[in-house]
Amino acid sequence: KPRPEARREVGRQGWRFAYGDGVATHVRINYSDGSKTLFWEPRGVKPSELLYEPSGLGDFETALIVEGEKAADAAAGWAIAAVFGTVWGAGSTPTDERLQPIASQYQRTVLWPDNDDAGRKHLTKIGNRLLALGAQDVRVVEWPTAPPGGDAADFKGSVEDAQALLDAARPFEPNDKRKPERK
């Protein structure tokens, strides 16, 4: 009888943040069975105090908020909006101190949730906070062909396709719990 393959590491990424008096690294390890491990070096980091901002954002009128650093890196590559990624995925909502500059600086903020209940709830919390902080135009991307759990890192369309999704984003409704329509 063949033995099942042992779970092995197949990829590792790390994102560095200025934190307190030093630097913290958020580490993601991917395994051969599709699972992942996330942790901080050093321990004790409060993810709600951080917001990932990929470098080279440029001067944009639109801010795009996605769940996680991996999705933020992918979206930043399109160069169509200032991109911010929540840290620790749906497990942590950024503080008002981190969200206030987005609410006041950008004419439009677009939320791109992961295609799952946790992702939609997570970005609904953020959308509510942005409105409370004075953001004028908050919208939500609806990606009808998204795979289950899919996010901006899974989007395989062109830059023009990504721009079309941002342009077609529906207005955010406070405490909206509906699921996007599937075609």
Side-chain angles (χ1 to χ4, degrees):
K1 184 175 179 180
R3 295 169 91 188
E5 180 182 334
R7 182 174 94 152
R8 60 185 168 73
E9 184 177 323
V10 295
R12 181 183 290 247
Q13 292 175 283
W15 294 271
R16 295 171 58 88
F17 295 85
Y19 186 75
D21 294 333
V23 174
T25 303
H26 188 206
V27 178
R28 174 185 171 135
I29 301 174
N30 296 317
Y31 296 99
S32 57
D33 64 359
S35 64
K36 64 184 174 190
T37 298
L38 301 166
F39 60 91
W40 286 96
E41 293 175 344
R43 294 185 186 271
V45 172
K46 295 178 182 171
S48 63
E49 296 176 0
L50 301 169
L51 197 58
Y52 180 56
E53 302 174 40
S55 61
L57 295 176
D59 186 25
F60 297 101
E61 295 177 358
T62 300
L64 174 61
I65 299 178
V66 298
E67 184 182 328
E69 299 93 335
K70 184 177 172 186
D73 285 341
W78 306 327
I80 58 176
V83 177
F84 301 90
T86 62
V87 179
W88 207 256
S92 177
T93 302
T95 63
D96 287 355
E97 180 182 5
R98 299 300 304 161
L99 293 173
Q100 180 62 60
I102 297 170
S104 60
Q105 181 176 347
Y106 296 95
Q107 292 180 9
R108 173 177 287 173
T109 302
V110 179
L111 309 173
W112 186 319
D114 283 11
N115 188 29
D116 55 30
D117 287 339
R120 285 184 285 276
K121 287 177 186 175
H122 176 57
L123 286 183
T124 295
K125 287 180 197 174
I126 292 172
N128 288 329
R129 292 307 319 139
L130 288 166
L131 290 177
L133 293 168
Q136 299 300 308
D137 186 9
V138 179
R139 297 182 171 267
V140 179
V141 165
E142 291 188 341
W143 176 23
T145 59
D151 62 14
D154 298 308
F155 184 73
K156 302 301 182 217
S158 67
V159 171
E160 292 78 16
D161 294 336
Q163 182 67 59
L165 282 176
L166 266 62
D167 291 343
R170 69 171 168 81
F172 173 77
E173 298 175 28
N175 297 311
D176 186 5
K177 291 180 176 54
R178 70 181 170 164
K179 293 183 179 180
E181 294 179 27
R182 304 297 274 177
K183 292 184 179 179

